[in-house]
Amino acid sequence: MSTQNAQSEGDFWNLRLYVAGQTPKSQAAFSNLKKLCDEHLKGKCHIEVIDLIKNPRLAAGDQILAIPTLVRKLPEPIRRIIGDLSNTEKVLVGLDILPHQMENI
Amino acid sequence: MQHTTIKSTEELPKAPTGIRGLDEITFGGLPKGRSTLIAGGAGSGKTLMSMEFLVRGAIEFGESGVFMAFEETSDELAKNVASLGFEIEELIKEKKLIIDFVRVERSEIEETGEYDLEGLFIRIGYAIDSIGAKRVVLDTIESLFAGLKNQAILRAELRRLFRWLKDKGVTAIITAERGSNELTRYGLEEYVSDCVILLDNRVTGQISTRRLRIVKYRGSRHGTNEYPFLIDEHGISIMPITSLALDYKVSNERISSGIPRLDMMLGGKGFYRGSSILVTGSAGTGKSTIAAHFADATCRRGERVLYFAFEESPDQIVRNMSSVGLNLQQWLDKGRLKIHSARASLYGLETHLVTMQRQIDDFKPNAVIVDPISNLINVGESSDVRSMLTRLIDYLKSKQITAVFTNLTHERLEATETEVSSVMDTWLLVRDIEIAGERNRGIYVLKSRGMPHSNQIREFLLTNKGVDIIDVYAGPSGVLTGSARAAQEEKEQAEKTLRREEIERFSRDLDRRRKIMEAQVAAITAEYEAKAEEIKQLILQSKERESILSQNRARMSKARGSQEKTIKG
């Protein structure tokens, strides 16, 4: 239900992608995320990319271990998805976009 | 305290830990610039040991450190180690220490596709660089196994992490949970192979004892035993003492036992300085009193005594000893005597010994008294007891500390305590002697290395002026003590008197007989003399008569002659 609300108008998705340099995994993650947002969260999503090589001090704040890591800052609660985000379905589950829709079916 | 750092050109460079005893066992510390694995069960002291490594590194060796905490938050850690007397907030403020809490929560993490742990590398690297850390602790990196599903990636990344730490040139400690079959639950020993330390917390007879063992130390010698260790308000203390071989210097100096007559029994001079003395005896035979006399005499010489009491409180000891005329309070007041009381059943034997060692290090006594050591023996496994005591005694000897151990025996002594006695230099036995419904104390020297000593049993008296040792009655009917001795002595006295009287009687008799004899002789002489006188008289009379007769005859013949003349004429 909450996700239905989350899906409703006016809700906003604040996503942060942590990378370390322009590695193939990071690039893959970014393009996968971009695609996903365009398809599922069009206009309701803000993506911030943080390069830890440039800002290593930010790693501790969001408890980053793995690279790449996608953090859903909003809506709460905070969720983390690690990996190159190649499995769209898993990402959607991780971001609480998909599971409830599937439940509803 | 002193840390013996043995340096050799062949040996690895080492990072001293500053942890009491650990640097001795490792001959200098952990491998510098490499990783050390500390494995152990829950509550075995892994976290505290690694934190002490960082804190001491920062304070004593000028090496700042990074603590990557995977299980506890910084606040929790700070609270936990505050109980060890570590003020880590200060160190953090001074930029000598960084604690970074790494939260790994599986429920919050979704995995999709390829990833690596570069984020963790960056965090550690950032922490190291920001304070120029030389020491790093990862506690417990195994949490990653619970948080991440992809074991293949994780293992590859861990391998890379340890190599990376080595490249960074930091001395690292990796902690790990003890596994049931393997050394660690996730086989981390596979990655960290320079030095592996195992911590253990075993419970035997409801008493838990912490132990440490160095499983391996590549390129370095190390102590191989299991060493008991202690965690208390001063941090971790390990009791090493393998390095103490039988090569300590011995003293020829003799010191008084505090009981003059006992000194006499020990070749006239008392104990050797730095020797260990065992006083055994059954309950109430005065073992503690002997120990207290020694303590008193030692303090009187201006030296220091550390008294470990496992049965009585300090006040009780002072009171009880004042009843035999010993004023121990004055030495307590002057700081020459320290009484440390503890219930033996409180810890295991090893823990006691570690505690004792630390107390000895702190107080630096000239003499140590352990009263009684039997309580310690009872809490340990008999196999451990000997090695532990040997370590303690070696330790004391290396520091030239004279030690008196009392030992309570229930049975008829010797056999039961051989394990203890063989490491002692002097063995005094105080023993009950029950004769004639009375219990008395006998003392003798069972052995005393390196000095002539009395082989006699002496009677041991506790008076309100102190201990007195007197000769026992040793006669044809055996050894007698107490009133039996007194009775025997009186009996002997009576017999002596009797004999003297008899002799007197005999001599009087002889005297009398001589007098009779003399009287008789006198009488006979007198009789003889009387007779002789009489005979002389008779002879005289006869001679007189003879003379008268001849005179008469002459007169007669004269007369007759004149008549004839007249007639003729």
Side-chain angles (χ1 to χ4, degrees), chain B residues 189-437:
Chain B
E189 64 271 23
E190 195 185 320
Y191 311 112
V192 185
S193 48
D194 287 313
C195 181
V196 179
I197 295 174
L198 192 61
L199 303 184
D200 184 31
N201 195 2
R202 276 203 293 274
V203 177
T204 317
Q206 302 181 350
I207 290 167
S208 80
T209 304
R210 298 177 189 279
R211 291 183 174 85
L212 174 147
R213 183 163 70 92
I214 296 172
V215 179
K216 86 188 239 187
Y217 196 151
R218 187 178 280 172
S220 169
R221 64 210 165 99
H222 58 86
T224 51
N225 294 350
E226 264 196 322
Y227 302 93
F229 71 96
L230 190 70
I231 297 175
D232 67 5
E233 68 274 15
H234 305 291
I236 290 173
S237 307
I238 300 163
M239 190 168 182
I241 323 192
T242 37
S243 45
L244 294 176
L246 288 170
D247 58 0
Y248 36 74
K249 286 205 176 66
V250 297
S251 170
N252 283 323
E253 191 190 338
R254 299 285 280 270
I255 50 175
S256 171
S257 64
I259 306 170
R261 188 63 196 265
L262 182 58
D263 294 344
M264 290 301 295
M265 292 171 75
L266 296 164
K269 294 174 191 161
F271 307 129
Y272 277 115
R273 181 179 291 283
S275 66
S276 44
I277 297 111
L278 178 66
V279 182
T280 55
S282 44
T285 45
K287 299 179 296 296
S288 302
T289 312
I290 293 177
H293 269 80
F294 176 65
D296 181 62
T298 307
C299 291
R300 209 170 284 281
R301 281 194 300 272
E303 298 178 355
R304 294 155 75 82
V305 178
L306 186 52
Y307 194 125
F308 295 102
F310 293 108
E311 278 179 344
E312 295 171 291
S313 69
D315 283 351
Q316 205 178 347
I317 290 169
V318 170
R319 184 200 67 193
N320 294 353
M321 289 309 146
S322 68
S323 74
V324 290
L326 286 180
N327 179 3
L328 295 180
Q329 187 63 47
Q330 56 177 328
W331 308 128
L332 284 173
D333 295 342
K334 283 182 183 160
R336 291 186 197 164
L337 175 67
K338 187 177 174 191
I339 302 178
H340 177 83
S341 287
R343 276 273 164 228
S345 53
L346 206 57
Y347 321 111
L349 173 70
E350 296 86 344
T351 311
H352 276 299
L353 291 176
V354 178
T355 315
M356 286 161 74
Q357 190 193 352
R358 240 231 346 272
Q359 295 262 352
I360 291 165
D361 276 347
D362 292 345
F363 191 66
K364 302 194 187 343
N366 302 86
V368 162
I369 289 164
V370 181
D371 180 31
I373 204 163
S374 33
N375 285 22
L376 288 185
I377 292 169
N378 294 341
V379 296
E381 283 172 59
S382 63
S383 63
D384 297 340
V385 168
R386 199 189 144 128
S387 79
M388 296 309 301
L389 279 177
T390 308
R391 286 182 196 181
L392 177 67
I393 288 167
D394 281 349
Y395 179 73
L396 291 170
K397 284 191 170 176
S398 72
K399 295 197 173 298
Q400 295 258 308
I401 297 170
T402 316
V404 173
F405 303 90
T406 71
N407 186 17
L408 178 68
T409 50
H410 300 285
E411 316 260 322
R412 275 181 45 85
L413 72 119
E414 294 108 73
T416 49
E417 254 62 63
T418 41
E419 65 217 3
V420 183
S421 67
S422 70
V423 292
M424 300 289 177
D425 297 312
T426 298
W427 188 1
L428 304 177
L429 199 83
V430 196
R431 159 177 208 189
D432 299 332
I433 301 174
E434 278 185 37
I435 295 169

Side-chain angles (χ1 to χ4, degrees), chain B residues 5 15 17 42 71 101 106 168 189 276 300 319 415 432 469 503 507 509 518 535-536:
Chain B
T5 313
T17 61
E71 286 183 332
F101 171 56
R106 185 163 214 160
K168 274 264 175 195
E189 64 271 23
S276 44
R300 209 170 284 281
R319 184 200 67 193
D432 299 332
I469 294 179
I503 290 165
S507 38
D509 194 35
E518 281 168 1
I535 291 167
K536 271 186 201 161

Side-chain angles (χ1 to χ4, degrees), chain A residues 20 25 52 56-57 59-60 63-68 79-87 90-91 94, chain B residues 70 100-104 107-120 122-123 126 144 148:
Chain A
K25 277 195 285 263
L52 290 180
R57 64 167 66 230
Q63 288 292 346
I64 304 306
L65 290 177
I67 292 294
R79 303 298 300 258
R80 289 185 187 79
I81 301 167
I82 60 175
D84 57 15
L85 312 177
S86 53
N87 187 332
K90 264 193 158 180
V91 179
Chain B
F70 290 82
D100 190 1
F101 171 56
V102 182
R103 197 162 65 136
V104 187
S107 63
E108 290 177 1
I109 298 173
E110 193 67 51
E111 296 179 26
T112 147
E114 289 279 306
Y115 60 90
D116 55 42
L117 294 183
E118 193 61 32
L120 180 63
I122 288 169
R123 279 174 78 169
Y126 176 68
L144 292 178
L148 301 173

